[in-house]
């Protein structure tokens, strides 16, 4: 029997597709350092678990489809501190940032409409557009420029009558790029001039290094009806498994339409919403410590990889990812080979081939995305495994 074109066109996640090879390596007694996935190892603030333990309702009931009162209030207070005035009618709690993105695309786009994205991009953007029935179109950014935006004319050349929105993340997954104020204003101008929505994925907002500032299109009143914010507690509080996200916009008509989708799926998980609200009482010292730890790891990884002949990258400015060019023809082959056939003193690494983060065929085939969510000492070991493996790989292939 024939399956749908929608599902067969979707790709498997390049972040997780090599998991069977990693599992086999572990079965064979190897230690596998996971550089493939953005799963923070920072301890989730205790307030989350304390709230779960103290939850005393006798019936675990549905939440309101918009979200639990206590969490909506927590989000309102959080964004107010950032200078953004969100009321209930501007927000919907979602099952993670993933559902926030999917619902936004479903509300904005008709089948065959296009969403313009700078590449490389978070691979699930393609999955979400496939699920929503629309499609990704892309414009290139370049590793030599730290994956910052190209000229306005290069972006405009990719806009068609079917383009409905620009979607981006800053700080970026997978590049670690943090867009400047001028870049955000460029996107603002494009949204106005071409009558587009601007979907801003800000889940890594707190993870910015070297004293840089995160800029958001939410700051510009002239486009407040065009800006759609997607957010999540996953990376901010190291709470990926709670699956609590948010879609927010000053465009109340859009949010009201998204409510149809939230009612169809009933609600986000009730208890996790209550616990998530407690996370927003976390002191700023948690973010300062977390930011310092990730910057330390970034520096170790960047300096280590830079010392390997043939490896090229720019230093990431935020999030916890690096895209690096390796001296290989196929990073997918190399990433599979190192899991199947190589270890250094019983240790190997798992990475994400970067080709899956591009929309244009052929791009990223000699690049990998590496997450620095593991401890600093393990990152040092990972660098030495890669240094040795690349020598052996070049000898064999």
């Amino acid at each position: 029997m024939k399956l749908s074109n929608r599902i067969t066109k979707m790709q498997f996640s390049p972040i997780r597709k090599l998991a069977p090879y990693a599992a086999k390596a572990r079965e064979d007694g190897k230690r596998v350092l996971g550089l493939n996935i953005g799963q923070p190892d920072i301890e989730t603030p205790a307030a989350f678990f304390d709230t779960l333990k103290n939850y005393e309702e006798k019936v675990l009931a549905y939440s309101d489809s918009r979200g639990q009162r206590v969490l909506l209030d927590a989000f309102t207070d959080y964004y107010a501190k950032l200078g953004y005035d969100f009321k209930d009618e501007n927000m919907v709690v979602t099952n993670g940032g993933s559902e926030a993105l999917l619902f936004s695309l479903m509300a904005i786009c008709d089948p065959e409409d296009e969403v313009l994205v700078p590449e490389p991009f978070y691979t699930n953007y393609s999955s979400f557009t496939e699920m929503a029935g629309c499609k990704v179109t892309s414009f290139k950014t370049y590793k030599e420029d730290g994956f910052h935006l190209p000229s306005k004319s290069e972006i405009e050349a990719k806009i068609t009558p079917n383009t409905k929105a620009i979607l981006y993340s800053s700080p970026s997954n997978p590049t670690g790029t943090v867009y400047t104020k001028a870049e955000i204003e460029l996107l603002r101008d494009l949204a106005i001039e071409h009558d587009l929505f601007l979907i801003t994925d800000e889940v890594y907002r707190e993870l910015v290094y070297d004293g840089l500032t995160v800029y958001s299109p939410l700051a510009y009143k002239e486009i407040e009806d065009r800006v759609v914010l997607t957010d999540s507690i996953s990376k901010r509080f190291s709470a990926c498994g709670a699956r609590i996200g948010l879609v927010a916009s000053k465009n109340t008509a859009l949010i009201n339409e998204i409510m149809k989708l939230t009612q169809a799926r009933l609600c986000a998980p009730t208890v996790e919403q209550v616990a998530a609200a407690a996370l927003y009482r976390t002191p700023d010292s948690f973010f300062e410590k977390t930011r310092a730890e990730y910057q330390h790891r970034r520096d170790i990884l960047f300096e280590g990889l830079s010392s390997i002949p043939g490896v090229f990258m720019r230093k990431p400015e935020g999030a916890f990812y690096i895209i690096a060019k390796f001296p290989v023809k196929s990073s997918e082959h190399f990433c599979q080979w190192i899991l199947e056939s190589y270890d250094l003193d019983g240790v190997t690494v798992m990475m994400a081939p970067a080709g899956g983060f591009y929309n244009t065929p052929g791009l990223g085939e000699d690049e990998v995305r590496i997450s620095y969510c593991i401890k600093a000492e393990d990152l040092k070991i990972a660098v030495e495994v890669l240094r040795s493996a690349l020598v052996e790989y070049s000898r064999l292939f």
Side-chain angles (χ1 to χ4, degrees), residues 139-178:
F139 57 88
K140 296 177 186 177
T141 64
Y142 302 92
K143 52 185 171 290
E144 293 81 6
D145 301 325
F147 297 104
H148 281 275
L149 294 180
S151 67
K152 183 180 181 183
S153 61
E154 288 181 73
I155 300 174
E156 283 185 310
K158 297 292 185 174
I159 296 174
T160 76
N162 290 330
T163 306
K164 293 293 292 290
I166 299 173
L167 166 61
Y168 76 97
S169 62
S170 177
S172 168
N173 175 7
T175 66
T177 304
V178 177

Side-chain angles (χ1 to χ4, degrees), residues 115-129:
V115 180
L116 186 59
V117 184
E119 63 179 346
F121 53 82
Y122 176 46
T123 180
N124 277 334
Y125 288 172
S126 289
S127 300
F128 300 147
T129 53

